[in-house]
Amino acid sequence: EDRMTWLHAGKLALKCVKPCTRCIVTTTDQRTGERRGEEPLRALRRFRFVPALKGVAFGMNAIVTSGMDTRLAVGDRFAVTWQGGERWAIRAAGAAEKS
């Protein structure tokens, strides 16, 4: 996801604008609200830490540039444009096909 620039699904267009940092919710027990150690952040920090963001990069923040009223469903296909102009079709299950 670090090299994604655009995602398209039908009329929906998302522009990837910056990396997202992983928050501490992954280390928090969702029932009690208690912090439960540092994993998976400690492991991710070894190979995904971005000093400029002061955190572990995980995914991309994106903005809707068209198709704001588009409904998405499990299994919808996305066309993904990567830096350098490569395009791929991504299924919700995570499989990729070069297009």
Side-chain angles (χ1 to χ4, degrees), residues 7-43:
L7 296 137
H8 292 91
K11 296 178 182 178
L12 178 66
L14 300 169
K15 179 175 177 35
C16 299
V17 292
K18 72 177 188 81
C20 180
T21 56
R22 189 76 218 167
C23 67
I24 62 169
V25 75
T26 58
T27 64
T28 305
D29 182 311
Q30 297 302 298
R31 290 185 194 149
T32 65
E34 294 178 53
R35 294 278 308 277
R36 301 281 183 163
E38 294 186 34
E39 293 299 344
L41 293 178
R42 182 184 354 209

Side-chain angles (χ1 to χ4, degrees), residues 45-89:
R45 194 174 295 123
R46 284 181 276 190
F47 62 96
R48 297 291 295 162
F49 186 79
V50 179
L53 298 174
K54 298 180 181 147
V56 174
F58 187 85
M60 292 293 285
N61 287 305
I63 58 171
V64 177
T65 61
S66 66
M68 187 174 292
D69 295 331
T70 302
R71 287 195 117 176
L72 298 175
V74 172
D76 284 353
R77 296 174 68 93
F78 282 82
V80 179
T81 304
W82 304 88
Q83 290 173 356
E86 270 184 275
R87 291 183 60 86
W88 291 73

